């Protein structure tokens, strides 16, 4: 489930970038193209994971509890539980990108309960869960030690945590290691 959640929007890489940069409403053809990203994701994912259940979790992550989602218009319990969990995490991610007040975040999430999101899952999210997530995001930091020599510049990355944007979703990543830059790159 964690792997599926991490790559659920991978189909967006096959869409034209102007669809994501556009301000305002999409045209009907742009909207149709955007709504194809779950199927495109499944095409990619099936090359790595043969199980249909894994692919279906990704395919149905835009289905809505009220049946107004895509690609199939599934409703309520027809949507795989794993897809509903990915949808909840995805929605929370979008809200966290715009708000940092825990009460506001929980309120906005609750407003989507029973329409977009599974009300049983949303009901399990408590204010202290949101506070913990917000605090974690606010404490992300980068610690670097730059070592220069005649031939190259090395950056020793002690810890690197970032809240980064990919397409329209956000994720938290941690990378530990060392990056060596050619001598012609100045820091």
């Amino acid at each position: 489930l964690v792997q599926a959640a991490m790559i659920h929007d991978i189909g967006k890489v096959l869409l034209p970038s102007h669809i994501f940069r556009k301000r305002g409403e999409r045209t009907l053809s742009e909207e149709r193209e955007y709504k194809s990203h779950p199927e495109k994701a499944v095409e990619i994912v099936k090359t790595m994971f043969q199980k249909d259940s894994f692919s279906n979790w990704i395919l149905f992550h835009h289905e809505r509890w009220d049946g107004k989602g895509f690609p199939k218009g599934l409703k309520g319990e027809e949507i795989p539980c794993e897809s509903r969990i990915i949808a909840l995490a995805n929605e929370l991610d979008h809200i966290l990108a715009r708000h940092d007040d825990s009460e506001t975040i929980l309120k906005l999430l609750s407003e989507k309960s029973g329409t977009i999101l599974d009300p049983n899952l949303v009901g399990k999210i408590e204010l202290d869960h949101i506070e913990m997530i917000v605090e974690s995001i606010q404490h992300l930091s980068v610690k670097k030690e730059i070592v220069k020599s005649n031939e190259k510049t090395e950056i020793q990355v002690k810890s690197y945590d970032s809240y980064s944007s990919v397409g329209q979703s956000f994720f938290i990543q941690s990378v530990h290691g060392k990056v060596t830059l050619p001598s012609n790159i100045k820091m």
Side-chain angles (χ1 to χ4, degrees), residues 37-144:
H37 83 267
E39 287 102 341
K40 292 181 185 301
V42 168
E43 291 173 25
I44 296 169
V45 168
K46 281 197 173 198
T47 65
M48 299 179 283
F49 303 96
Q50 303 302 314
K51 291 177 112 180
D52 281 339
S53 60
F54 190 91
S55 298
N56 285 339
W57 302 343
I58 293 170
L59 179 63
F60 300 129
H61 78 275
H62 276 292
E63 297 292 353
R64 293 173 41 138
W65 187 257
D66 62 9
K68 296 179 182 176
F70 62 91
K72 302 285 184 198
L74 301 179
K75 182 177 183 176
E77 300 281 334
E78 296 173 343
I79 307 165
C81 181
E82 295 83 358
S83 298
R84 289 181 270 146
I85 291 169
I86 292 171
L88 173 63
N90 196 40
E91 197 61 46
L92 182 57
D93 241 3
H94 290 299
I95 294 170
L96 285 165
R98 295 184 308 272
H99 302 279
D100 61 2
D101 175 65
S102 299
E103 289 181 10
T104 301
I105 293 166
L106 186 59
K107 178 182 175 277
L108 292 170
L109 199 60
S110 297
E111 288 173 359
K112 296 171 187 289
S113 176
T115 53
I116 296 172
L117 302 172
D118 178 340
N120 299 316
L121 292 176
V122 174
K124 295 182 185 301
I125 306 292
E126 297 178 5
L127 186 60
D128 60 330
H129 297 136
I130 303 294
E131 289 170 346
M132 183 180 64
I133 293 168
V134 169
E135 185 176 316
S136 295
I137 291 169
Q138 290 173 343
H139 286 89
L140 295 174
S141 64
V142 176
K143 296 176 185 173
K144 295 180 188 177

